[in-house]
Amino acid sequence: MSNFNQILDNHDWDAVKESIYTKTGADVLRALHSSTPDINDFAALISPAASGFLEEMAQIAHTKTIKRFGRTMQMFAPMYLSNECQNICTYCGFSLDNKIARLTLNPKQIKAECETLSAQGFDHILLVTGEANKTVGVAYFKKALKIIRPYFSNISIEVQPLNFEDYKELINEGVSSVLVYQETYNRTAYTEYHPKGKKRNFDYRLETPDRLGQAGIKKIGLGALLGLDDWRTDSFFTALHLDYLEKQYWRSKYSISFPRLRPAEGLIEPKMAMTERDLVQLICAYRIFNEEVELSLSTRESAHFRNHAFKLGITSMSAGSKTNPGGYQVDDKSLEQFETSDERSASQIVELLKTNGYEAVWKDWDAVFDMV
Ligand code: SF4
């Protein structure tokens, strides 16, 4: 069976980068007016040459989004269950070498967090943990899901990459989507950012969406940590990955997130800073390239930015997020993975959407639909 590793190995990082940076205005215009944009058009849309076409890109992205998704926005909240981690990732506050107090929520604490988020109206929850197999492995997830499932009908997870059988089990326990970011598709840089731990294995991580597709997951979330390397080249490979997966596992849906490097304890400086204007360009490029993919914007970005950018192609937003375990109810002092920027509550985001003629969607799917 094929996997994405083979496709990635057929692309040279530097050659791809050069092809993006040498795109011309004519390439951008061709991409903007193509009825079936391909990966080469995507490269034109994220190129420096496209930054002069931002207004036109924004209009096309907005129109395509309204046509496919209407004026709706799915609401979700992350719930951090643990900050224990056996990996050293030089950009993350939870890194093993960071001397912080570690906390893994027990059943009572998980229940308390669920009650708080559920009372705010959330029905879609994203469970997040560090990568500590002994503490937060499949057995822990299964126990936690039994507690969490009665509160939420849509459960996503962002945890350590697992094997095919584990995913099968977790799907049976109610997990509907899995987010697994490659961080960077540059193998050399990846090795530098991940000096220790299981995450060092670039290929195992890269093959994770393949295992998820084979396990029949409902939705797979992709992304790169923007700023670890050249954001344009990493985004090209993310889009290539998306394109491959959609063709290979067409029953699954896909989402893309745009995490930009944000301050966290022990954090490195971004190798290549991505400006807000760059991020707008990238969001529009994804929407023009792919009308079906869900695009997600988190509270890493500022309130001012989110107020404007959500109309360009975004289909899901988090609100009132805490990025530390127990942050909603149990322990607001535990270390957060990264600082959030937009600290508005869920009801404030709903109000923002309403004012702009958008409807907040709390529940768009239920496991019961799969049984029909
Ligand atoms: S990025 Fe993930 S794996 Fe790496 S240190 Fe942070 S929590 Fe652990």
Side-chain angles (χ1 to χ4, degrees):
M1 194 170 283
S2 74
N3 59 44
F4 186 66
N5 305 41
Q6 295 150 5
I7 295 174
L8 186 68
D9 286 344
N10 287 336
H11 289 77
D12 175 70
W13 175 276
D14 291 331
V16 167
K17 186 174 173 184
E18 196 188 334
S19 85
I20 297 168
Y21 280 80
T22 51
K23 294 285 185 212
T24 63
D27 296 324
V28 179
L29 280 172
R30 204 165 29 245
L32 283 176
H33 297 118
S34 165
S35 54
T36 51
D38 61 15
I39 190 71
N40 199 32
D41 292 318
F42 181 78
L45 294 171
I46 57 171
S47 71
S51 76
F53 294 83
L54 213 48
E55 190 56 40
E56 198 173 347
M57 286 177 72
Q59 277 172 14
I60 296 172
H62 174 71
T63 306
K64 285 193 172 197
T65 308
I66 298 286
K67 190 173 132 218
R68 169 65 183 83
F69 297 92
R71 290 178 193 271
T72 61
M73 190 66 65
Q74 293 174 47
M75 303 289 292
F76 75 97
M79 187 198 290
Y80 278 67
L81 298 176
S82 173
N83 60 11
E84 295 194 48
C85 193
Q86 294 301 313
N87 292 317
I88 294 183
C89 302
T90 56
Y91 48 83
C92 177
F94 294 172
S95 187
L96 176 67
D97 57 343
N98 212 352
K99 302 290 171 228
I100 56 161
R102 304 285 170 169
L103 173 66
T104 296
L105 301 190
N106 64 32
K108 204 172 147 206
Q109 292 170 323
I110 294 173
K111 200 164 185 305
E113 294 287 285
C114 288
E115 277 164 7
T116 304
L117 282 170
S118 174
Q120 289 176 20
F122 287 106
D123 190 58
H124 179 189
I125 205 82
L126 168 65
L127 306 177
V128 188
T129 69
E131 301 193 8
N133 201 31
K134 285 203 181 111
T135 334
V136 282
V138 175
Y140 176 85
F141 299 141
K142 285 170 74 176
K143 271 191 208 152
L145 285 164
K146 288 219 172 0
I147 301 163
I148 294 164
R149 213 169 164 183
Y151 291 92
F152 307 102
S153 54
N154 194 341
I155 302 175
S156 303
I157 59 170
E158 186 182 339
V159 303
Q160 60 179 307
L162 299 166
N163 64 37
F164 170 82
E165 288 77 19
D166 294 334
Y167 284 133
K168 278 280 200 200
E169 274 193 72
L170 294 183
I171 291 169
N172 284 338
E173 296 292 335
V175 170
S176 59
S177 61
V178 176
L179 277 57
V180 56
Y181 304 144
Q182 189 58 32
E183 318 296 13
T184 176
Y185 286 82
N186 182 332
R187 280 179 189 274
T188 314
Y190 185 95
T191 310
E192 286 162 17
Y193 287 119
H194 304 100
K196 187 168 184 287
K198 211 175 151 192
K199 192 167 174 178
R200 240 180 113 66
N201 189 336
F202 179 93
D203 287 306
Y204 185 71
R205 195 171 188 87
L206 192 68
E207 288 162 3
T208 305
D210 278 288
R211 295 194 295 282
L212 283 163
Q214 287 153 17
I217 192 82
K218 186 175 161 55
K219 186 159 68 187
I220 301 171
L222 304 174
L225 184 50
L226 302 164
L228 285 187
D229 210 298
D230 178 70
W231 69 262
R232 292 186 166 90
T233 313
D234 259 329
S235 299
F236 172 90
F237 283 111
T238 310
L240 190 69
H241 203 172
L242 169 69
D243 209 31
Y244 156 81
L245 290 165
E246 278 189 332
K247 289 181 181 118
Q248 200 78 6
Y249 311 104
W250 53 271
R251 286 175 192 273
S252 298
K253 293 207 289 181
Y254 295 88
S255 70
I256 299 283
S257 304
F258 307 92
R260 285 196 297 164
L261 266 182
R262 297 270 311 149
E265 200 151 302
L267 186 77
I268 52 157
E269 285 298 310
K271 187 167 166 184
M272 183 197 179
M274 182 190 210
T275 65
E276 289 190 344
R277 190 181 161 88
D278 294 335
L279 183 51
V280 165
Q281 184 184 344
L282 182 59
I283 292 169
C284 294
Y286 269 115
R287 176 56 67 225
I288 296 168
F289 170 59
N290 188 317
E291 292 184 24
E292 292 293 318
V293 71
E294 296 182 13
L295 301 180
S296 185
L297 195 59
S298 81
T299 55
R300 279 176 187 258
E301 299 304 332
S302 70
H304 178 76
F305 181 81
R306 297 212 314 161
N307 285 353
H308 295 91
F310 82 85
K311 296 177 207 154
L312 301 177
I314 298 301
T315 55
S316 77
M317 284 172 92
S318 50
S321 302
K322 304 289 180 197
T323 68
N324 50 330
Y328 296 102
Q329 182 68 269
V330 174
D331 181 1
D332 62 2
K333 302 277 183 305
S334 67
L335 184 89
E336 54 192 5
Q337 190 183 30
F338 58 87
E339 278 175 29
T340 54
S341 184
D342 184 351
E343 297 189 342
R344 289 172 296 181
S345 67
S347 55
Q348 285 174 298
I349 297 297
V350 171
E351 203 43 50
L352 163 77
L353 295 170
K354 223 161 125 188
T355 312
N356 286 276
Y358 280 68
E359 185 192 348
V361 177
W362 299 90
K363 179 172 184 166
D364 74 327
W365 177 78
D366 195 295
V368 80
F369 298 154
D370 278 355
M371 297 157 77
V372 183

